[in-house]
Amino acid sequence: MEGKTNLAFTGIATFCRTPHVPSIDEVQADVAVLGIPFDEGVGYRPGTRFGPRSIREYSMRFPYFDRTGGQRGYWDIEKRRWFLTETTMVDCGDVDVVPLDMAYVHRQIEESVRGILRKGALPVSLGGDHSVTYPVVKAFNDQGTISLVQFDAHLDRREEVGGVKYGHGSPIKRISQLDFIDKIVTVGLRGLRAPEEDYLDAEARGDILIPAHKVRTFGAAKTLSGIPPLGKCYVTIDIDVLDPALAPGTGTPEAEGLSFHQLIKMLQGLAANNQIVGLDLVEVNPYLDPTGRTPLFAAQLIVEFLGAIFG
Ligand code: MN
Ligand code: MN
């Protein structure tokens, strides 16, 4: 249904008001958005199961696709040009979630992302907690060797927590053990809960760990210059990489995070230097942010990153 204005508070929320295509077999687009409302991997404050719906809700403020009478895409005030005018995008809705059956949910996630890849679209997954990134990345196992860039305050490389290997403290450890994963780069690390042995383990693998204080001190451009070409590259963004003043709606905030500028500049640099094959944004917990700026900025990050990828 189309109105005169399609204001942000009207209509049924899909990501940026893109067409809803619930059957992945019918996807015909450059970008396919997938919601993963799953938060049973958290060890602290739950609520990210409401992340996808909340990001969609706030993304309606960026109605860049199929805007009534308007041009597709957005005009960038900094670069003084339009982006995403030729890019097609659909919203596939949410992965089926069965409470307390993580194996089932993981299979649904993996099959959904594999289906999107089969249709030739770039998968954009909305979490959910960070545990969902492992089954998402598993779906790339027939795409050749890929590298991973993780934006996160935390390393997420716990071998296990209480005997469980698939919680949100372990997805990058699990991914690091997949045979098609090349280098892993983690940006934004900080906090007092960092386990030393996990850092040593990651460095022994040859991975690149960039703490938040380096990005804050030297800026995005200098930080990017320390990252080698990665080829095919999957990007996972844990919203807690941002400073909690910007993004308080997340279960495990850490002080002294990245600015929006630093993060978007790094995403733009990665898109310029590598082939981005997929992305996710996880750990948005709308219950912890009554102002709504966390899901709002999450939606903007995705839109601007897509602008950098597709031009
Ligand atoms: Mn994380
Ligand atoms: Mn984190």
Side-chain angles (χ1 to χ4, degrees):
M1 199 180 297
E2 291 181 349
K4 280 185 183 176
T5 53
N6 282 341
L7 292 173
F9 56 88
T10 68
I12 294 166
T14 59
F15 189 75
C16 290
R17 213 183 284 273
T18 50
H20 182 205
V21 181
S23 169
I24 287 172
D25 287 339
E26 290 166 24
V27 167
Q28 279 189 311
D30 300 315
V31 178
V33 174
L34 180 71
I36 310 179
F38 180 79
D39 64 5
E40 291 176 29
V42 304
Y44 189 32
R45 302 188 289 179
T48 60
R49 70 181 61 184
F50 296 97
R53 180 162 290 184
S54 167
I55 293 168
R56 285 191 179 103
E57 164 79 26
Y58 282 91
S59 78
M60 296 286 274
R61 195 119 199 282
F62 310 109
Y64 295 138
F65 302 87
D66 296 335
R67 185 161 68 184
T68 304
Q71 187 175 352
R72 187 158 56 197
Y74 66 94
W75 188 74
D76 186 305
I77 191 172
E78 182 187 325
K79 300 191 172 64
R80 293 189 67 90
R81 57 168 282 245
W82 282 82
F83 284 84
L84 296 176
T85 54
E86 306 298 323
T87 308
T88 53
M89 185 149 113
V90 296
D91 189 328
C92 296
D94 292 337
V95 164
D96 188 34
V97 167
V98 173
L100 302 178
D101 192 346
M102 192 183 240
Y104 171 83
V105 176
H106 276 205
R107 278 199 306 280
Q108 297 303 308
I109 296 169
E110 195 178 328
E111 282 169 23
S112 300
V113 175
R114 190 167 282 123
I116 289 169
L117 290 170
R118 213 178 291 125
K119 301 302 286 185
L122 182 94
V124 174
S125 302
L126 312 176
D129 70 55
H130 217 158
S131 69
V132 306
T133 299
Y134 175 56
V136 167
V137 170
K138 269 170 82 184
F140 285 78
N141 68 335
D142 55 0
Q143 306 285 317
T145 300
I146 62 173
S147 300
L148 183 108
V149 178
Q150 172 199 12
F151 289 93
D152 204 324
H154 313 98
L155 206 48
D156 292 356
R157 293 212 199 202
R158 294 271 73 199
E159 173 54 33
E160 47 89 16
V161 176
V164 175
K165 295 185 161 200
Y166 302 101
H168 78 160
S170 305
I172 308 304
K173 177 66 176 178
R174 296 286 84 77
I175 289 167
S176 75
Q177 294 166 325
L178 296 169
D179 60 8
F180 60 93
I181 295 296
D182 191 8
K183 200 164 281 303
I184 298 176
V185 180
T186 303
V187 183
L189 295 160
R190 61 194 193 273
L192 305 182
R193 291 171 53 84
E196 183 184 18
E197 68 266 28
D198 291 358
Y199 276 65
L200 299 176
D201 184 49
E203 284 168 348
R205 191 183 179 275
D207 293 335
I208 299 172
L209 308 183
I210 303 172
H213 73 83
K214 287 209 168 163
V215 186
R216 289 169 66 99
T217 303
F218 299 112
K222 192 134 193 269
T223 308
L224 277 165
S225 69
I227 301 175
L230 298 167
K232 285 187 175 180
C233 180
Y234 182 89
V235 176
T236 179
I237 305 165
D238 182 329
I239 200 69
D240 70 28
V241 74
L242 286 178
D243 194 86
L246 274 168
T250 195
T252 55
E254 305 284 355
E256 299 287 312
L258 268 55
S259 71
F260 193 92
H261 176 86
Q262 287 159 346
L263 180 52
I264 199 65
K265 288 292 156 195
M266 292 218 58
L267 292 171
Q268 288 168 347
L270 285 173
N273 299 337
N274 306 286
Q275 182 195 349
I276 308 300
V277 295
L279 63 110
D280 65 57
L281 193 150
V282 297
E283 298 287 352
V284 170
N285 185 339
Y287 283 171
L288 297 172
D289 177 8
T291 74
R293 62 195 189 270
T294 311
L296 177 67
F297 298 154
Q300 186 178 341
L301 273 172
I302 293 169
V303 170
E304 285 200 58
F305 191 20
L306 290 173
I309 294 168
F310 289 94

